[in-house]
Amino acid sequence: MMKGTIDVKKQFGLKVRHYRMIRNISQEELGDITGLHRTYISDVERGQRNLSLENIYALAKALGVRMGSLLDFD
């Protein structure tokens, strides 16, 4: 990664975790709602996954936020 750039996957994962904690649901519950495995959710939150648009949409819908809210890193 170049100096001065952000780690997009890490920032996205932090947003997912933030909204999940606001909703007070576990990674397993979020996985059940989205149809994604709990370990996948864990990997997302740690910034270890490169997500598809379909999975970003599923996460946003499950968390009750707009997709853009998960992608706003400013």
Side-chain angles (χ1 to χ4, degrees), residues 62-73:
L63 294 169
V65 298
R66 293 176 26 259
M67 286 176 61
S69 297
L70 294 176
L71 299 170
D72 182 12
F73 307 137

Side-chain angles (χ1 to χ4, degrees), residues 1-44:
M1 188 165 29
M2 295 174 55
K3 184 177 180 180
T5 62
I6 62 169
D7 186 334
V8 176
K9 291 187 286 187
K10 274 226 186 288
Q11 291 300 312
F12 182 84
L14 290 172
K15 289 280 185 151
V16 169
R17 178 173 165 73
H18 170 78
Y19 287 116
R20 180 177 61 79
M21 299 302 282
I22 287 173
R23 291 225 27 223
N24 195 32
I25 58 176
S26 68
Q27 290 178 342
E28 186 170 4
E29 289 170 311
L30 182 57
D32 288 345
I33 295 167
T34 60
L36 303 171
H37 196 274
R38 179 198 57 79
T39 57
Y40 186 90
I41 300 296
S42 175
D43 287 349
V44 167

Side-chain angles (χ1 to χ4, degrees), residues 8-9 12 40 43-44 47-53 55-56:
V8 176
K9 291 187 286 187
F12 182 84
Y40 186 90
D43 287 349
V44 167
Q48 302 297 309
R49 289 287 179 154
N50 194 9
L51 285 78
S52 69
L53 283 174
N55 289 347
I56 293 170

